[in-house]
Amino acid sequence: MSNESIQVQGIMKRYGSLLAVEDVSFNVGQGEFVSLLGPSGCGKTTTLRMIAGFVDPSGGVLRVHGRDVTHLPPEKRELGFVFQNYALWPHMTVAENVAFGLKLRKKSRNFIRDKVAESLSTTGLSGYEDRLPRQLSGGQQQRVALARALALEPQVLLMDEPLSNLDRALRVTMRRELKELQARMKMTTLYVTHDQEEALSMSNRVVIMNKGRVEQVAAPYELYENPATSFVADFVGITNFLEGIVAGADGERLAVKLVSGQVLRAVNKKPVAPGTKVRALIRPERVTLKTGRIDGDNVLTGQVILSEYFGALLRYSMRLDSGDILRAEVHNFDSVIENGTRVWICALPEHVRVIAHEKGV
């Protein structure tokens, strides 16, 4: 038997002439937490709803634990679903909301009582059985929606941006609780979000989607450190892009001649042939920034044009002598570099990545 809880193979969805999801493929392993991440309109929610059975695919195959569920109705897929707006019945108590699906399945009264109690205990809601949704905070309503899904003992849990309606502080708390609960129960989870921080902090792997297609599937660290495309590099975190051409290559070590004429040394997992037009990628936190001269490879010079204070870090924007804008993040600082200050900027070769130019970039 396959160790994959979900298998998505070439799935697509067409609405008239609009191709909303195109040839999407990925797997979710048993007990794994995988996030679908991308901007609004990229097809991630449509993909999730096709897996759930709420949207009929125009092509491709969907399997849950090896069973073809492509055209089965939702109730026959043995999946739990947590909606973005929680979808709680306002006139029902917490206990009645959690019991709703079990009643539809005609479970016995004793079974429903025990399962509701168990689900509420698991989600930290014991003692809230008789409250109505309007008497709960946003985080508590989210837990009720989760408890309702867990009560059905689903093979797989699907979640559609369940934290998007919460304020930032509560989102951070809830995502930690969700991840701890998922790890404790070893429940296979597929999670939709447009929040990069949320996806990176919670997931074993992330599926990056853009314009209905998959751009990259990888662990969070791999996505951030070795993005496969310019879109992934730009969407996941903040990235500096410098245009150039590969002037020389020795295995993973590359020399990139920038438009300005300066040469950057880079270390890249994926080989790139000399003469290829590329974008050199440097993360802001990998930039060393000094107000005095730095000698060596990969030293650029410029002028600070903006400093932004975020408490734990300072983010600087600098206009290089070439005219390019480059950003740096400094986490341990004693003072702020004033606008107009001349600076020397360095990035080690192992912190410079290279992506070959793509169509339309």
Side-chain angles (χ1 to χ4, degrees):
M1 183 177 176
S2 172
N3 196 37
E4 307 291 351
S5 290
I6 301 175
Q7 294 172 295
V8 180
Q9 300 175 332
I11 207 72
M12 60 185 295
K13 181 61 185 177
R14 185 182 294 279
Y15 295 101
S17 61
L18 173 65
L19 192 56
V21 174
E22 181 181 359
D23 194 27
V24 166
S25 297
F26 63 89
N27 297 330
V28 182
Q30 179 70 38
E32 194 176 22
F33 193 118
V34 172
S35 288
L36 294 177
L37 174 66
S40 296
C42 72
K44 57 188 185 295
T45 292
T46 300
T47 299
L48 190 77
R49 293 178 74 85
M50 284 192 285
I51 295 169
F54 302 142
V55 173
D56 195 39
S58 305
V61 177
L62 298 167
R63 290 189 174 89
V64 175
H65 291 298
R67 184 171 64 116
D68 189 336
V69 300
T70 309
H71 299 292
L72 287 180
E75 64 272 16
K76 294 189 179 295
R77 300 191 182 202
E78 298 181 344
L79 303 172
F81 199 98
V82 178
F83 295 90
Q84 181 177 359
N85 63 356
Y86 315 139
L88 302 178
W89 297 103
H91 62 287
M92 291 183 180
T93 65
V94 167
E96 289 169 340
N97 267 286
V98 175
F100 184 76
L102 296 170
K103 288 181 178 179
L104 289 180
R105 294 188 178 184
K106 303 188 185 306
K107 299 294 185 180
S108 71
R109 181 175 298 180
N110 288 342
F111 180 89
I112 292 174
R113 182 197 61 218
D114 293 344
K115 184 54 66 175
V116 168
E118 177 187 327
S119 298
L120 291 179
S121 175
T122 298
T123 52
L125 286 172
S126 296
Y128 289 80
E129 289 85 353
D130 297 327
R131 296 195 189 185
L132 294 170
R134 67 173 180 270
Q135 298 172 306
L136 304 176
S137 67
Q140 289 167 340
Q141 290 183 47
Q142 193 272 344
R143 287 192 187 97
V144 175
L146 179 59
R148 181 179 56 192
L150 295 178
L152 298 175
E153 299 181 329
Q155 294 186 46
V156 175
L157 184 62
L158 309 179
M159 308 185 78
D160 185 12
E161 305 213 42
L163 307 183
S164 63
N165 294 327
L166 306 179
D167 62 60
R168 176 172 171 76
L170 187 53
R171 277 205 314 272
V172 171
T173 300
M174 287 305 304
R175 74 187 185 208
R176 187 180 304 118
E177 290 183 8
L178 274 176
K179 180 57 181 172
E180 289 174 353
L181 177 62
Q182 184 271 337
R184 185 167 71 248
M185 297 183 70
K186 296 181 173 58
M187 177 173 287
T188 304
T189 303
L190 183 58
Y191 188 97
V192 162
T193 182
H194 64 274
D195 187 315
Q196 299 95 322
E197 188 178 278
E198 199 167 280
L200 295 179
S201 64
M202 296 176 72
S203 310
N204 301 117
R205 288 185 304 134
V206 181
V207 180
I208 300 281
M209 292 188 66
N210 179 35
K211 297 179 180 179
R213 298 182 65 90
V214 172
E215 292 266 341
Q216 188 174 359
V217 182
Y221 178 86
E222 184 68 15
L223 277 178
Y224 188 83
E225 295 295 338
N226 297 294
T229 66
S230 292
F231 174 83
V232 175
D234 198 29
F235 190 77
V236 180
I238 298 173
T239 308
N240 293 302
F241 293 98
L242 296 173
E243 305 293 334
I245 188 168
V246 175
D250 181 12
E252 293 183 349
R253 297 191 171 273
L254 305 175
V256 179
K257 186 175 183 181
L258 302 179
V259 173
S260 64
Q262 188 162 0
V263 174
L264 275 185
R265 307 291 175 181
V267 176
N268 215 57
K269 279 188 174 183
K270 188 176 179 180
V272 184
T276 304
K277 289 184 178 180
V278 296
R279 309 180 90 187
L281 316 178
I282 308 172
R283 296 291 188 183
E285 70 275 11
R286 299 296 198 183
V287 173
T288 299
L289 181 63
K290 299 290 184 181
T291 55
R293 179 177 294 278
I294 303 174
D295 294 317
D297 289 336
N298 290 7
V299 177
L300 306 170
T301 52
Q303 188 178 69
V304 173
I305 59 173
L306 177 67
S307 62
E308 299 170 280
Y309 178 74
F310 294 96
L313 66 87
L314 271 168
R315 183 176 297 144
Y316 293 102
S317 295
M318 297 153 290
R319 180 173 286 110
L320 303 181
D321 293 342
S322 63
D324 292 311
I325 302 298
L326 191 122
R327 287 166 292 186
E329 290 181 353
V330 181
H331 289 262
N332 296 305
F333 53 89
D334 297 316
S335 60
V336 178
I337 302 174
E338 300 295 332
N339 290 354
T341 302
R342 183 136 182 94
V343 289
W344 281 256
I345 304 140
C346 178
L348 297 175
E350 53 266 36
H351 295 155
V352 180
R353 297 290 182 265
V354 170
I355 292 179
H357 256 277
E358 304 141 29
K359 278 188 177 180
V361 175

